[in-house]
Amino acid sequence: EPEVTQTPSHQVTQMGQEVILRCVPISNHLYFYWYRQILGQKVEFLVSFYNNEISEKSEIFDDQFSVERPDGSNFTLKIRSTKLEDSAMYFCASRGLSTGGWSPLHFGNGTRLTVT
Amino acid sequence: GQNIDQPTEMTATEGAIVQINCTYQTSGFNGLFWYQQHAGEAPTFLSYNVLDGLEEKGRFSSFLSRSKGYSYLLLKELQMKDSASYLCAVRDSSGGSYIPTFGRGTSLIVHP
């Protein structure tokens, strides 16, 4: 079964550094997402991306965050200047075209980001 | 936005049946998802309800009552591997969004 892949699985960085988290969505999917989950807390929406542009973003997704689809397969999340509170598991997700008005999100295994 | 409420933790015995409840408040309900998440892993899709009633898929069933803002996930013939967090996620399209919002999840512990 096709799956969403994320790299790296773990990333440790110093406060103020830039990080790029990478994702390869399922190949025929058109909608892409980033969510994060701080340890012990709920999964929170960051941003959705469709047709090469951001379609929705949450309050968490401020100017320090950006997303890009640099080619036909990769989908990246960049954090420009990391803060301690950015430490979390970051999940990429994708979904295909809706059939009957819905389709589920398929999540990658996540990148655990630790900011020191 | 949505207000999604689930019990924090439940325990059950292997072979038994467990029901995990989810209540929500939305102004433009447009679907409810259940996901399973093992510790340190990605959420995986279990079920989707948009109309009232029961959806059955093997050992797992999900029920929805839109008038009550209520759903449950029913797990039958529990196995040790069912120990995981179960996430209820609701889609509210009142503001034009189709993004599911997740509840805090219910941690299910299955013991022998």
Side-chain angles (χ1 to χ4, degrees):
Chain A
E1 186 177 327
E3 57 182 28
V4 177
T5 56
Q6 290 186 244
T7 54
S9 56
H10 293 89
Q11 174 90 49
V12 181
T13 190
Q14 288 189 327
M15 198 167 50
Q17 295 297 302
E18 174 184 287
V19 293
I20 298 176
L21 309 183
R22 302 181 191 278
C23 170
V24 179
I26 294 173
S27 62
N28 62 348
H29 282 188
L30 300 177
Y31 303 85
F32 313 117
Y33 306 81
W34 284 101
Y35 282 79
R36 79 172 186 190
Q37 186 175 31
I38 295 170
L39 189 63
Q41 297 189 25
K42 65 179 180 179
V43 175
E44 299 176 291
F45 168 70
L46 294 179
V47 66
S48 61
F49 194 86
Y50 171 71
N51 202 25
N52 285 319
E53 61 183 21
I54 291 174
S55 46
E56 289 188 58
K57 59 183 180 179
S58 71
E59 293 174 353
I60 302 168
F61 194 87
D62 61 21
D63 291 346
Q64 292 300 311
F65 291 87
S66 62
V67 289
E68 196 176 39
R69 187 155 165 81
D71 53 44
S73 59
N74 290 285
F75 180 51
T76 62
L77 174 70
K78 182 192 292 186
I79 309 175
R80 240 176 293 280
S81 176
T82 50
K83 303 187 281 273
L84 294 176
E85 53 265 38
D86 293 328
S87 295
M89 181 75 96
Y90 287 81
F91 290 108
C92 174
S94 69
R95 71 178 179 91
L97 283 173
S98 299
T99 53
W102 73 278
S103 55
L105 297 175
H106 294 261
F107 286 86
N109 281 328
T111 293
R112 180 165 297 287
L113 177 66
T114 302
V115 182
T116 62
Chain B
Q2 301 90 335
N3 187 16
I4 301 169
D5 197 31
Q6 304 178 235
T8 304
E9 188 174 292
M10 299 181 71
T11 59
T13 306
E14 193 176 14
I17 299 172
V18 71
Q19 177 174 313
I20 302 174
N21 296 325
C22 172
T23 57
Y24 62 88
Q25 294 163 345
T26 66
S27 42
F29 177 79
N30 195 357
L32 185 145
F33 299 83
W34 283 97
Y35 281 82
Q36 179 190 62
Q37 186 180 26
H38 285 100
E41 297 183 12
T44 55
F45 170 73
L46 291 177
S47 69
Y48 174 75
N49 296 72
V50 67
L51 300 176
D52 291 350
L54 189 68
E55 294 283 339
E56 296 186 81
K57 193 186 288 187
R59 292 190 299 117
F60 293 2
S61 305
S62 57
F63 171 82
L64 175 69
S65 169
R66 288 172 295 170
S67 63
K68 295 180 180 175
Y70 167 69
S71 172
Y72 67 72
L73 181 70
L74 192 71
L75 292 77
K76 302 175 189 174
E77 300 168 19
L78 281 173
Q79 302 174 10
M80 299 296 289
K81 67 178 182 179
D82 297 330
S83 292
S85 189
Y86 291 86
L87 314 180
C88 173
V90 177
R91 213 162 54 167
D92 182 343
S93 59
S94 59
S97 171
Y98 286 84
I99 302 298
T101 297
F102 285 82
R104 294 189 174 274
T106 298
S107 178
L108 174 65
I109 301 167
V110 180
H111 55 82

